[in-house]
Each structure stands twice: as C-alpha cells, then as structure tokens.
Amino acid sequence: MQSLSNKKILLGITGGIAAYKSAELVRLLIKSGAEVRVVMTPSAQEFVQPLTYQALSGHRVYTDLFDGEADSAMDHIELARWCDLLLVAPASADFLGKMTAGYADNLLLTLCLASKQPVAVAPAMNQQMFANASTRDNINQLSSRQVLVWGPADGEQACGDIGPGRMLEPEQLLNNIAQQFRPGKLTGVKLLLTVGPTREAIDPVRYISNRSSGKMGYALAEAALREAAEVTLVSGPVSLIPPSAARLVAVESAQQMYDAVMQQVGTQDLFIACAAVSDYRVDQTAQHKLKKSADTMSLQLVPNADILTAVSALEERPFCVGFAAETRDLEKYAMQKLEKKKLDMIAANKVGDGSSGFETDFNQLEVFWRDGHHSIERASKPEIAKQLIDLIAGRYTCARS
Ligand code: CTP
C-alpha cells in the first residue's frame, strides 16, 4: 500500500456512472494516510449521494458555489489553497469541455481555475464521445497546460460499448497520485537545454534551417520537470507550447543560441544539447531582399561556433550530454563526437528515413558514455524522453557522488 500520509487530496466528482468507483478511491486514499475532501458537481449528485463520500472521507462534501452554510474558512479559494493535488475523477466530456474553456459556473470548475497546485483529470465517458474531435482537442489543450490526464482505460463500458473511455481503476489512480509525491530524481538540479532548429538569415525574408521540430527537446524538458529539475530552455523557432514551469529563452540563429547558453551556463549543473544547430551561417547577410538576377547563385558560408564543445571546454563545466543525428554509421560517429566534444554522454539517433527522429512523433536512441551503452527502443518522444532523463539522472548522480 502506498503511503500518502499528510498529503491533502481534493477529489472532484462529475456526473458519470464511474462516480461509484470514486467511493473506493476515497477509501484507498484514507487507508494510505491522505486527508481527503470531496467536491461534487450537480450532475455527479444524480449518480451518487454526497453522504456516501462524507461517510468515507469523514468530512462534509462540498457541492455548492454559493453555500450559505459553508465553513467560511473553507470557501472555494481556501479549498483550492488547502490541497496538494486536485483530482477530478471521473471527469466527464462536458466537464473537460468547460474546464478547457475556463468556465467557472460550479464549485469544482472554480476550484480548477483557482488551484495553483497540480490538477489531474481521469476522463470517463462513452468511447464514441472520447473519440470525438472536440473531446480530443480539449484533452490535448488541457495536457499542454500541464493538466495531468490519467487514462482513460480501454474495455467494456457501462453502455455496452467496447473501447477507450473507462475511468482508470481506483488502485491505478492511487498509484498515479503516489507518483506525484515521490521525490524527483533531479530535485535541486539546474538543467540547461538547447532545443529546436536554428535559422541562419540569407536576407530579411530567407533563411537556412533544418527539419528539427523541437518535439524531442520539449519532451525532455517536460520529463526533467517531472523529476523536479529547474529547467531553462534555450529554444530555436518551433511551433510548440513550452512547459510553463520551464524558463524559456527564445532565439533564432546559432549565434544567438550560443550567446544565450554562455550567459546561462555558469549556474547550471546539467547541459543537454538537443538543438539541431546550423553548422554554417551566411557570411554576409543581405540587407535587402535578394533579387533574381542570374541562372545560378552561390552563398558564401562560414562556420558557427560549436555550442556544446564550448560548454564542455569550460573550466567549471556542467555534466554534458550531446545528441548525434546521423543517417549512417551511428555508433562510429556518436563515439567520435563523445570523444571530440569531451562529453559525459551522447544520445544517437538515426534520421532521414522518416520512421523516427526529425519531424516525427517517434524516436529510438542509442546512448553511449565512456564505459557503457544503453539502447532505448522505438517509442513516442515523451516515452523516450522519460527513459533518457532516467538514464541521465543515474549517470549524473554517479558522476557527482
Ligand atoms: N551542436 C552544438 N553546436 C553546434 C553544432 C552542434 O551545440 N554548432 C551540438 C548539437 O546540439 C548536438 C551535437 O552538438 O548535441 C552534435 O550535433 P550534430 O549536428 O549531430 O553534429 P556536428 O557536431 O554538427 O557534426 P556533423 O554535422 O558533422 O555530424
């Protein structure tokens, strides 16, 4: 059984048949030592009586935004401040839609808006409603705003359908809650991360760049934040929403990325160079748009500084992790880069065949360090990021101890 002693959990219940399962969740939470307060929406009360949760949690159940009898020390703002985690389980499609739009017309929605603590939702609905584009959009948006989305599970539904939409089982939800409170593997570690492509201007409207989407770097930032690192992202131009808990320094060219990194690096413990930095820039950027004037055209390119090499050459240097994007001879080139750039670790990935790496949602890594190697099998970038951050945290802790 997980220990959640002294943890304060605010459990929000919305209208859905899975509301009865939340009674078991309250029981498990209390058994694991948590303090639980329950908030129900009006439609949740159509499924289960507040008295059920009151008996299990040992506290009155909050149901009304304008409750004349409410304990004045526990109005909605106080409740939002009181908890360590707010979990809405089950979270109906209707509730998720209103939450995404920022509605606050019932107590639970108000709490979701007012809470500075982590908010998690456990969606539960008919599989067709879950598959609907508006539900998917809502869930994606909530997730990009750091709302934790737990589930749903796949299986038989109360309506007889089969598919994804079942609320996660109470044991699984308890487990996820406990994960939130375990100490992070990078607690107190300052991580500087370069991500995305760079753009090297040719003239005011044209540039040289590459196919990096930034997805791997942003997934690494998210994974490191989950391990409680303090993350600074130096990001080239990408169309992704940065995690709000990270400090973002937006740059465009390799030179700007270099300057930003050098400005930050003095205080950092860990440096991950995930950016696809342009190796060359145009020698003379034209002041005005170049005109079509000849059959052929040449651009004179000059090398950019290697940011990773510059960081690893510092006397007081952070633990340095590089990437190697290669189209062939992965291990050979990765090991050469590990040596040449004096790195602690290098993560090599194959690019250019369209199945993983640049511009895709998947990746696959071969990670090398001086006396070791680990393969991370093909998976989604968030999953790869989690495994890589685990590996880096382990090597970093070894190196510093
Ligand atoms: N890198 C960097 N600054 C550069 C070029 C690369 O910090 N100007 C970093 C990348 O972020 C990556 C690693 O160096 O972590 C390797 O980058 P990669 O493009 O694979 O290799 P290069 O060193 O540029 O060599 P090549 O292009 O010849 O493979």
Side-chain angles (χ1 to χ4, degrees), residues 56 132 157 169 236 315 341 352 365:
L56 289 165
N132 189 287
Q157 304 204 291
E169 292 305 318
E315 208 171 311
K341 302 196 184 197
L365 296 178

Side-chain angles (χ1 to χ4, degrees), residues 30-90:
I30 297 286
K31 209 169 151 198
S32 64
E35 231 189 288
V36 183
R37 301 287 164 93
V38 177
V39 182
M40 297 180 78
T41 62
S43 50
Q45 294 164 62
E46 303 286 333
F47 289 87
V48 183
Q49 287 293 314
L51 207 56
T52 307
Y53 304 107
Q54 181 173 318
L56 289 165
S57 69
H59 292 279
R60 68 179 289 257
V61 170
Y62 299 84
T63 53
D64 200 344
L65 189 53
F66 307 103
D67 186 350
E69 284 176 30
D71 175 354
S72 63
M74 271 294 197
D75 65 10
H76 60 281
I77 299 296
E78 284 298 323
L79 258 180
R81 285 195 190 131
W82 167 84
C83 68
D84 297 312
L85 175 90
L86 165 53
L87 167 63
V88 182

Side-chain angles (χ1 to χ4, degrees), residues 261-299:
V261 165
M262 288 306 164
Q263 203 177 22
Q264 308 287 334
V265 75
T267 55
Q268 303 294 316
D269 304 301
L270 190 53
F271 178 57
I272 306 180
C274 190
V277 186
S278 300
D279 289 329
Y280 294 88
R281 67 176 179 278
V282 178
D283 190 15
Q284 300 285 339
T285 304
Q287 254 197 324
H288 295 286
K289 188 181 167 209
L290 294 173
K291 289 291 178 194
K292 226 181 327 182
S293 58
D295 287 346
T296 60
M297 181 185 173
S298 304
L299 287 172

Side-chain angles (χ1 to χ4, degrees), residues 96 100 123 130 134-144 149:
L96 292 169
T100 309
F130 179 67
S134 42
T135 310
R136 305 313 295 253
D137 281 354
N138 291 336
I139 288 180
N140 286 341
Q141 274 206 53
L142 290 172
S143 172
S144 72
V149 180

